[in-house]
Amino acid sequence: MQTLTQRLANPTRFMELSARLLPWISAGAVVLLAYGLYLAFFASPADYQQGETVRIMYIHVPCAWLSMMVYALIALSSFGLLVFRHPLADVSAKAAAPLGAAFTFLALLTGSLWGKPMWGTYWVWDARLTSVLILFFLYLGLIALRSALEDESAASKLTAILALVGVTILPIIKFSVDWWNTLHQPSTDFTSTVDPSMRLPLLVMAIAFTLLFFAMHLKAMRNEILRRRVKALRTQAVAGRDRLAAHGAE
Amino acid sequence: MKSFWALLHRDVTLAIREGGAIGTALGFFLVVVSLMPLGLGPDLNLLSRIAAGILWIALLLAALLSLNRIFEADHEDGTLDVLATGPLPLELVTAAKSLAHWVTTGIPLAIMAPVLGILLNLDLAAYPILVATTLVGTPAVSFLGAIGAALTMKTRRGGLLLALIVLPLYVPTLIFGISAVSAGAGPTGLAASFLILAAISLVTIVLGPLAAAAALKVHLQ
Amino acid sequence: MKSFWALLHRDVTLAIREGGAIGTALGFFLVVVSLMPLGLGPDLNLLSRIAAGILWIALLLAALLSLNRIFEADHEDGTLDVLATGPLPLELVTAAKSLAHWVTTGIPLAIMAPVLGILLNLDLAAYPILVATTLVGTPAVSFLGAIGAALTMKTRRGGLLLALIVLPLYVPTLIFGISAVSAGAGPTGLAASFLILAAISLVTIVLGPLAAAAALKVHLQ
Amino acid sequence: MDLGPHAAFIWISYAAVTVTVTGLILWLIADGRKQAADLEALERQGVKRRSSSPGVR
Amino acid sequence: MQLIAEDLAIDRGARRVIDGLSFAVKAGEALLLTGANGAGKTTLLRTLAGYIRPFRGRVRLEGGDDELTVAEQAHVVGHTNAVKLSLSVAENAAFWNAYLDSGEDAELRVGTALRHFGLEDLSEFPAAYLSAGQKRRLGLARLLVARRPVWLLDEPTASLDTASSERLVAAVNDHTNSGGLAVIATHLPLALERARTLNLAAQKVPA
Amino acid sequence: MQLIAEDLAIDRGARRVIDGLSFAVKAGEALLLTGANGAGKTTLLRTLAGYIRPFRGRVRLEGGDDELTVAEQAHVVGHTNAVKLSLSVAENAAFWNAYLDSGEDAELRVGTALRHFGLEDLSEFPAAYLSAGQKRRLGLARLLVARRPVWLLDEPTASLDTASSERLVAAVNDHTNSGGLAVIATHLPLALERARTLNLAAQKVPA
Ligand code: HEM
Ligand SMILES: Nc1ncnc2c1ncn2[C@@H]1O[C@H](COP(=O)(O)OP(=O)(O)OP(=O)(O)O)[C@@H](O)[C@H]1O
Ligand SMILES: Nc1ncnc2c1ncn2[C@@H]1O[C@H](COP(=O)(O)OP(=O)(O)OP(=O)(O)O)[C@@H](O)[C@H]1O
Ligand SMILES: [Mg+2]
Ligand SMILES: [Mg+2]
């Protein structure tokens, strides 16, 4: 009797399973996204303080959450690779990195665009913004390190080590907001104080974005598995020729 | 233990002979610190306000430039292969090398920092704090840097990549290092920064060699 | 001439493959520019005043880190010996390598600079000037840097030493590069800075390869 | 729909997210097509996968 | 004591370089690895030393110290010499002695090693001044600087002159006579006293 | 054409390594340099190539192109291979062809050179993946990638297998037969068709 992870560990099984799952997740993401956008633009009021710009929140916050969640996923996958040598762990980590970088970038961008009307500037150097920027750098470092190494299996293990070293950034983003004097208002526990009329669209959008991410992640993993198959076949073809040549030289 | 000291001693000797490490690090520190006023304008008030920041950034850069090849050179000439067959676990090898880096770079830079403070019109009262914080903070610089150096060992021309990977990791050290000096605020704020700095250094002294050794093991394959 | 292009092409290829030069240089630039406010404090007015200085200093550092091994690597694997027996005089060899460095580092950094200006709250009007001055000024960075790289070729771990030698040479470029952007003064002041920057670049494009080649000849013995 | 004085910021935000996400999706689809095509081409050339191929584990 | 390789399969960059290889080298014996360039001699030696993890099979040292890995009981001399150019010849040897050996007679050992490979007159020179063969000899001097039962040598005679090759052969003979074992990759015949030859090309799996 | 060394005295780090050495190598001829490690073979070759300026005496190529230095008419293969690890085998060869050769038939030349040294099947691989001997062969392939009348080779057979050594000998024979000349430092006997031997140890000045 195989456990679920063991069955998933087989890339062929994964390909079958993901092929069946992918359409459903994508469809769910599209539906929820449509509903969320409807709520965000038509079924929710403007904030009494922030005015209409509060609507940026419905994409900013999901992106910001995803930026952290994806990193956690990468760290988890890295752990799986290094400790359990799970065959899909590296595929997952590699596929997630550019997606995470993209969502972090979007969180930064939408945050800055919200900052201009709210704080009068695109950027301030406060703890939360800075730590998200560092998270973005970590993503860049992961991508750059992987692309700088020729040997793929070495590259995946080394990036995994870096990902685990960098995971300390997550609690920093979450908790330490009062490091040094800042223009930013002190952080409040938004989810409990927010008006229900805004909580629903935010929740729907957050779930929609998460589903969207998982759909993209599955697709990227499938691509990566195919890429590895292609590469293995290619080297095999060359190696076959080389082996004959070595015999000839003897 | 004998092996540990032998390695530490060799690395210190090499650093001194090959790069004239100490002199060069100090020279670099001096040049960067004196370039800053050129870049930022000669306003003395401004300078003294940001002096701590400049000193810390220059220090990080000096460390980065000297970290670059600490593993790569050993790998290229085959030394690393032999070190790995020695009686010392690879974790202690990386610890010895990081420690050697701290001794040849961290300590001289920490001692030099207040001297350069003069150039930046740093508040006199901040000097002892500056030395103390840099001494306590620089181990983190060397040990975190060693992780980056180990990760990028086989990427020829890894300098930039190393910086890209390591600088984000330096951010907490930088922030608390500066806040300790420039706050000057209350003694409690100071003590807090100082303790956090020490904690960061301690954690990296333990974790840095582990991560670096893990990276080296991958490279040795 | 064919040899010159072959060498230029090879160096560009290597830079892209080995370090992922362009991407990494940009990443590094981004990281350093964002470290500065952490070090100097988040005061936006202050930042926008010194933005040009920060951008230029970060640019110099990115160049320094990538210059490091442009001759050393070729020397270690024996390539330099063979290059010296080629149809190309050593002066053109150094010119080709410096040019390759400018193409893979100088140009991308110059184009990236204004984007980072946003983080530093740089005045919008300064953007076109910034791109123009960095494009005109960066050749000096690459060609002067090549002299330093050639001089320090055989000092293993030359990074710091290189920086120590080269940074002072960068001072004129830095000063005029910054004054062109931050002055914003009259169009005459701007034009003057700009012309001087161009003049510096032209002179170094001619003299840099000569000096670097002379240094290489000494090393080859 | 009136989004007030800061409509531009809202629109740019949503547009940026839309562009980035659609870009990613299109890239993923194109990449998937390319890999599948490469794989098929190789298999047509008669290169077969060894059962314990070390590349894919 | 005996070094045993069991049913090894080794991959290099997604290619199977060695497949189904088994052998044993007993104490007192030397195994010469031969085979064309690219046959996998270096790969095999690095696997024996534990740097490369084989895809299948394993390597063990029977009768060795069970608390230590094979690598910790072996001297490995690869294509590179592990010589620091800015240390002097004597400093290089002394460092490896201090690092690898826990014995007391450090100076004696280092002196003997340098003398055996004809480096005593050069001992004050920085290693950067050495010729290619002299550097190789310094790399080999490591073998005598600390005692280890297993020697794994990769083309040790590369760029050695005839006299030095003979010194190396003498050192290997001494080593095997006193109960050590050696695995040596080489393209040239070596006049060892008790040696078997393993031709890797002959072991090759058909494509 | 002939390569002439006249009364050479060469210093290395304040030591006189070679003193009062004169010889001439004619077109169609190969000169084998022998001598113990440190005898000065590499030093002499680097002097012939013009890297080291001799303390006394001079080197000239009679009957060569007077506008060019000796180095510009010579292929120099030293202890290092001048191979870039991150370029593929074919890219390495193609670069040296483009850099050293002004002829038109680039692809043909590169292809022939790789084939001669048995590298054609590896041509797409990054050089980092090559074994020591394969790297050496790639370094030697440079000899065939551009035509030059003088070959200066420093221990070219280091880490080559027997088959590859024979390919090298064949290449040198072809070269001398078609009017080239070669100076080759070696510790091993090479079965060249027309070769003289110069033993540097015998030339040595007493200390
Ligand atoms: C570039 C600038 C910004 C960045 C990088 C950023 C980053 C983040 C992050 C990481 C979170 C998730 C935090 C968590 O779940 O604990 C978040 C949430 C949030 N952000 Fe931003 N933000 C930026 C600008 C802004 C601006 C300008 C505003 C509004 C004035 C804003 C309002 C919020 C709100 C209301 C939340 C939800 C808080 C909660 O649920 O606890 N952000 N942001
Ligand atoms: N850079 C240097 N500085 C000082 N002395 C040197 C230098 N390079 C070589 N020597 C010395 O010059 C002598 C000749 O060295 P050379 O490299 O020419 O020897 P070789 O005949 O090529 O030896 P091998 O067979 O080992 O390659 C040696 O004794 C060496 O120690
Ligand atoms: N890092 C690597 N990545 C991929 N393939 C490699 C790597 N190193 C070696 N190889 C390949 O593995 C095979 C065996 O190489 P190895 O170095 O073991 O050969 P060798 O028998 O030592 O040859 P030589 O006599 O030339 O030293 C070669 O075909 C080589 O191309
Ligand atoms: Mg080998
Ligand atoms: Mg020699």
Side-chain angles (χ1 to χ4, degrees):
Chain A
M1 190 54 211
Q2 281 180 315
T3 65
L4 179 67
T5 37
Q6 270 169 341
R7 266 187 292 144
L8 272 176
N10 184 338
T12 319
R13 288 301 305 265
F14 173 82
M15 289 301 271
E16 285 167 13
L17 198 69
S18 61
R20 257 182 287 147
L21 272 177
L22 195 52
W24 292 103
I25 300 183
S26 316
V30 170
V31 171
L32 278 181
L33 209 54
Y35 181 48
L37 282 175
Y38 163 77
L39 290 179
F41 278 98
F42 303 107
S44 75
D47 189 81
Y48 73 99
Q49 257 187 336
Q50 313 192 340
E52 297 286 346
T53 51
V54 75
R55 300 193 199 281
I56 295 181
M57 178 175 73
Y58 305 126
I59 47 175
H60 165 75
V61 175
C63 286
W65 280 342
L66 270 183
S67 73
M68 292 188 287
M69 193 197 81
V70 175
Y71 196 92
L73 178 70
I74 291 177
L76 210 68
S77 304
S78 303
F79 190 78
L81 173 72
L82 290 180
V83 178
F84 303 115
R85 306 189 171 275
H86 196 289
L88 281 175
D90 177 51
V91 174
S92 157
K94 183 177 180 187
L99 301 178
F103 282 113
T104 314
F105 172 75
L106 287 176
L108 286 166
L109 190 82
T110 52
S112 318
L113 285 169
W114 197 0
K116 186 69 178 175
M118 285 297 101
W119 305 332
T121 171
Y122 288 107
W123 187 258
V124 292
W125 288 95
D126 96 308
R128 169 158 295 176
L129 273 59
T130 307
S131 51
V132 173
L133 188 63
I134 292 171
L135 180 66
F136 184 57
F137 294 158
L138 279 174
Y139 278 117
L140 293 187
L142 287 180
I143 296 170
L145 180 63
R146 191 187 284 275
S147 70
L149 291 158
E150 267 149 33
D151 181 344
E152 267 201 66
S153 86
S156 51
K157 288 177 201 145
L158 293 169
T159 16
I161 294 171
L162 180 60
L164 287 181
V165 169
V167 82
T168 36
I169 188 73
L170 292 185
I172 294 180
I173 297 180
K174 201 77 189 149
F175 299 116
S176 53
V177 198
D178 311 307
W179 278 355
W180 71 99
N181 45 347
T182 162
L183 298 176
H184 193 291
Q185 69 252 22
S187 72
T188 50
D189 186 4
F190 174 81
T191 22
S192 59
T193 54
V194 72
D195 187 275
S197 65
M198 291 179 203
R199 205 184 296 159
L200 179 65
L202 183 56
L203 202 69
V204 171
M205 285 298 268
I207 297 173
F209 268 67
T210 310
L211 284 182
L212 187 64
F213 163 74
F214 276 117
M216 291 199 284
H217 188 222
L218 274 186
K219 178 66 179 162
M221 282 176 75
R222 292 172 59 81
N223 289 352
E224 182 59 26
I225 289 173
L226 289 183
R227 187 185 347 270
R228 286 179 189 199
R229 283 190 186 160
V230 168
K231 201 172 166 207
L233 287 181
R234 287 225 172 98
T235 29
Q236 210 175 303
V238 178
R241 269 189 283 141
D242 179 46
R243 205 160 270 153
L244 294 176
H247 268 294
E250 270 311 287
Chain B
M1 233 41 242
K2 189 181 157 207
S3 307
F4 187 89
W5 294 119
L7 184 56
L8 180 63
H9 177 251
R10 187 206 67 154
D11 256 39
V12 172
T13 315
L14 282 179
I16 292 171
R17 280 206 204 146
E18 294 190 341
I22 298 179
T24 322
L26 298 185
F28 172 81
F29 202 19
L30 179 65
V31 170
V32 169
V33 169
S34 27
L35 271 186
M36 289 284 176
L38 288 179
L40 310 183
D43 176 348
L44 277 185
N45 276 332
L46 171 63
L47 280 181
S48 79
R49 239 176 71 210
I50 60 178
I54 293 181
L55 288 174
W56 265 101
I57 288 177
L59 200 154
L60 292 185
L61 292 172
L64 259 189
L65 281 169
S66 52
L67 268 170
N68 210 350
R69 276 169 66 70
I70 61 170
F71 295 117
E72 194 185 355
D74 273 358
H75 172 251
E76 277 171 3
D77 66 13
T79 303
L80 202 57
D81 282 348
V82 185
L83 288 178
T85 70
L88 215 55
L90 216 46
E91 286 75 15
L92 286 179
V93 170
T94 50
K97 290 184 74 73
S98 315
L99 188 59
H101 181 262
W102 182 62
V103 171
T104 53
T105 316
I107 296 185
L109 289 178
I111 294 174
M112 180 78 160
V115 181
L116 297 182
I118 300 176
L119 287 179
L120 298 174
N121 203 20
L122 183 72
D123 188 5
L124 260 179
Y127 284 17
I129 305 173
L130 184 62
V131 179
T133 46
T134 41
L135 271 181
V136 169
T138 41
V141 175
S142 294
F143 282 79
L144 279 177
I147 303 179
L151 286 172
T152 59
M153 184 178 90
K154 269 195 186 164
T155 60
R156 288 166 282 281
R157 232 184 269 232
L160 272 182
L161 185 61
L162 171 65
L164 180 60
I165 288 176
V166 166
L167 283 179
L169 300 180
Y170 281 167
V171 168
T173 312
L174 181 67
I175 289 174
F176 291 106
I178 294 169
S179 73
V181 183
S182 61
T188 41
L190 179 64
S193 302
F194 197 81
L195 283 181
I196 295 175
L197 219 47
I200 295 176
S201 280
L202 283 179
V203 171
T204 53
I205 287 174
V206 176
L207 294 186
L210 295 182
L216 289 188
K217 273 180 203 146
V218 174
H219 279 306
L220 278 179
Q221 297 229 335
Chain C
M1 233 38 243
K2 188 182 158 205
S3 308
F4 186 88
W5 292 121
L7 184 55
L8 180 65
H9 177 250
R10 186 206 67 155
D11 258 38
V12 171
T13 315
L14 282 180
I16 291 172
R17 281 208 204 147
E18 296 191 342
I22 297 180
T24 320
L26 298 185
F28 171 83
F29 199 22
L30 178 64
V31 171
V32 169
V33 167
S34 27
L35 269 188
M36 292 283 177
L38 287 180
L40 309 182
D43 176 348
L44 280 183
N45 279 332
L46 169 64
L47 283 180
S48 79
R49 240 175 73 208
I50 61 179
I54 293 180
L55 288 175
W56 265 100
I57 289 178
L59 200 154
L60 293 184
L61 291 172
L64 262 185
L65 279 170
S66 51
L67 267 170
N68 210 350
R69 279 169 65 70
I70 59 170
F71 295 117
E72 195 184 353
D74 274 359
H75 172 249
E76 277 171 4
D77 66 13
T79 303
L80 202 57
D81 283 349
V82 185
L83 288 179
T85 69
L88 215 54
L90 216 45
E91 286 75 14
L92 286 180
V93 170
T94 52
K97 288 183 76 72
S98 315
L99 188 60
H101 181 262
W102 183 63
V103 172
T104 54
T105 316
I107 296 185
L109 289 179
I111 294 175
M112 180 79 162
V115 180
L116 298 182
I118 299 177
L119 286 179
L120 299 172
N121 205 17
L122 183 73
D123 188 7
L124 261 179
Y127 282 17
I129 306 174
L130 184 64
V131 179
T133 46
T134 41
L135 271 181
V136 170
T138 41
V141 176
S142 294
F143 282 80
L144 281 176
I147 303 178
L151 285 172
T152 59
M153 184 176 87
K154 270 196 188 165
T155 61
R156 287 165 286 279
R157 235 184 269 234
L160 269 182
L161 187 61
L162 170 66
L164 185 58
I165 291 178
V166 167
L167 281 179
L169 299 180
Y170 283 165
V171 169
T173 313
L174 183 64
I175 290 177
F176 291 105
I178 294 170
S179 72
V181 182
S182 59
T188 41
L190 177 66
S193 301
F194 197 80
L195 283 181
I196 295 175
L197 219 49
I200 296 176
S201 279
L202 283 180
V203 171
T204 53
I205 287 176
V206 176
L207 293 186
L210 297 181
L216 289 189
K217 272 179 201 147
V218 174
H219 280 307
L220 278 181
Q221 295 231 334
Chain D
M1 183 170 49
D2 178 25
L3 290 179
H6 299 300
F9 291 97
I10 301 172
W11 286 126
I12 294 174
S13 299
Y14 277 83
V17 173
T18 314
V19 167
T20 312
V21 170
T22 14
L24 275 176
I25 291 172
L26 290 180
W27 170 68
L28 286 171
I29 291 173
D31 189 38
R33 289 228 176 102
K34 179 173 175 301
Q35 302 309 332
D38 284 2
L39 195 62
E40 200 192 327
L42 275 169
E43 267 160 6
R44 231 184 300 117
Q45 282 167 26
V47 189
K48 283 214 194 66
R49 218 146 67 84
R50 232 180 355 187
S51 51
S52 65
S53 167
V56 182
R57 274 182 296 159
Chain E
M1 189 165 32
Q2 95 175 300
L3 180 70
I4 302 174
E6 283 166 0
D7 189 28
L8 287 181
I10 316 175
D11 290 338
R12 220 72 184 86
R15 281 199 296 164
R16 178 78 27 109
V17 174
I18 285 179
D19 205 353
L21 179 65
S22 305
F23 61 84
V25 192
K26 290 195 203 61
E29 210 182 36
L31 180 71
L32 294 181
L33 294 180
T34 59
N37 293 141
K41 301 178 294 300
T42 302
T43 305
L44 179 56
L45 280 176
R46 291 183 69 80
T47 311
L48 295 179
Y51 301 129
I52 300 178
R53 190 131 53 114
F55 179 75
R56 193 184 63 230
R58 70 196 195 100
V59 175
R60 62 202 169 85
L61 187 64
E62 203 178 79
D65 187 336
D66 282 343
E67 311 234 306
L68 300 177
T69 62
V70 177
E72 285 165 352
Q73 304 173 64
H75 274 305
V76 188
V77 178
H79 286 302
T80 46
N81 293 322
V83 160
K84 282 288 167 195
L85 298 183
S86 38
L87 298 182
S88 75
V89 171
E91 283 170 332
N92 268 295
F95 165 68
W96 285 122
N97 174 271
Y99 184 80
L100 295 174
D101 196 48
S102 46
E104 288 304 302
D105 46 352
E107 282 197 21
L108 186 73
R109 273 206 170 280
V110 171
T112 319
L114 292 182
R115 220 165 308 117
H116 187 90
F117 285 102
L119 293 166
E120 71 274 34
D121 289 334
L122 297 169
S123 63
E124 298 303 309
F125 279 71
Y129 288 5
L130 299 186
S131 76
Q134 290 165 341
K135 266 184 211 136
R136 189 69 181 156
R137 271 142 63 180
L138 180 51
L140 291 170
R142 204 171 66 234
L143 295 171
L144 303 183
V145 131
R147 262 202 68 79
R148 295 199 158 192
V150 178
W151 287 9
L152 305 174
L153 313 182
D154 200 353
E155 290 183 49
T157 57
S159 72
L160 290 187
D161 57 20
T162 338
S164 312
S165 293
E166 281 161 15
R167 304 312 303 264
L168 172 70
V169 167
V172 175
N173 282 336
D174 277 1
H175 174 65
T176 51
N177 284 336
S178 61
L181 63 89
V183 182
I184 307 175
T186 180
H187 291 300
L188 305 174
L190 291 182
L192 293 175
E193 282 169 15
R194 267 167 310 161
R196 282 187 299 136
T197 302
L198 173 67
N199 190 327
L200 282 185
Q203 302 278 340
K204 246 179 160 167
V205 279
Chain F
M1 188 163 35
Q2 88 178 307
L3 179 70
I4 302 173
E6 285 168 357
D7 189 28
L8 287 181
I10 317 177
D11 290 341
R12 218 73 183 85
R15 280 198 299 163
R16 178 75 28 108
V17 174
I18 285 179
D19 204 354
L21 179 67
S22 305
F23 62 83
V25 192
K26 290 197 203 60
E29 208 180 40
L31 180 71
L32 294 181
L33 294 179
T34 61
N37 292 140
K41 302 178 292 302
T42 302
T43 306
L44 179 56
L45 280 176
R46 290 184 70 81
T47 312
L48 295 179
Y51 301 130
I52 300 178
R53 195 132 48 115
F55 177 76
R56 196 183 63 228
R58 69 194 194 99
V59 175
R60 63 200 168 83
L61 186 65
E62 204 178 78
D65 189 333
D66 283 343
E67 311 231 309
L68 300 178
T69 61
V70 178
E72 284 165 352
Q73 302 171 65
H75 273 304
V76 187
V77 177
H79 286 301
T80 45
N81 292 323
V83 161
K84 284 289 166 197
L85 298 184
S86 37
L87 296 183
S88 75
V89 169
E91 283 169 333
N92 268 294
F95 166 68
W96 285 123
N97 173 272
Y99 185 78
L100 296 173
D101 196 50
S102 45
E104 290 302 303
D105 46 355
E107 281 196 25
L108 186 72
R109 272 205 168 283
V110 171
T112 320
L114 292 183
R115 220 166 307 119
H116 187 89
F117 286 103
L119 292 167
E120 71 273 36
D121 286 326
L122 298 169
S123 62
E124 300 301 310
F125 278 72
Y129 288 5
L130 299 186
S131 77
Q134 290 164 340
K135 268 184 208 134
R136 189 72 183 154
R137 271 143 63 178
L138 180 52
L140 290 170
R142 203 170 66 232
L143 294 171
L144 303 184
V145 132
R147 262 202 69 77
R148 295 200 158 192
V150 179
W151 286 8
L152 305 173
L153 313 183
D154 201 351
E155 289 182 50
T157 58
S159 71
L160 289 188
D161 57 19
T162 337
S164 312
S165 293
E166 279 161 18
R167 305 313 301 263
L168 172 71
V169 168
V172 175
N173 282 337
D174 277 2
H175 175 66
T176 51
N177 283 339
S178 61
L181 63 89
V183 182
I184 307 175
T186 181
H187 292 300
L188 305 174
L190 290 183
L192 292 175
E193 281 170 15
R194 268 166 309 164
R196 281 186 301 137
T197 302
L198 172 67
N199 190 325
L200 282 184
Q203 305 275 339
K204 242 195 158 141
V205 278

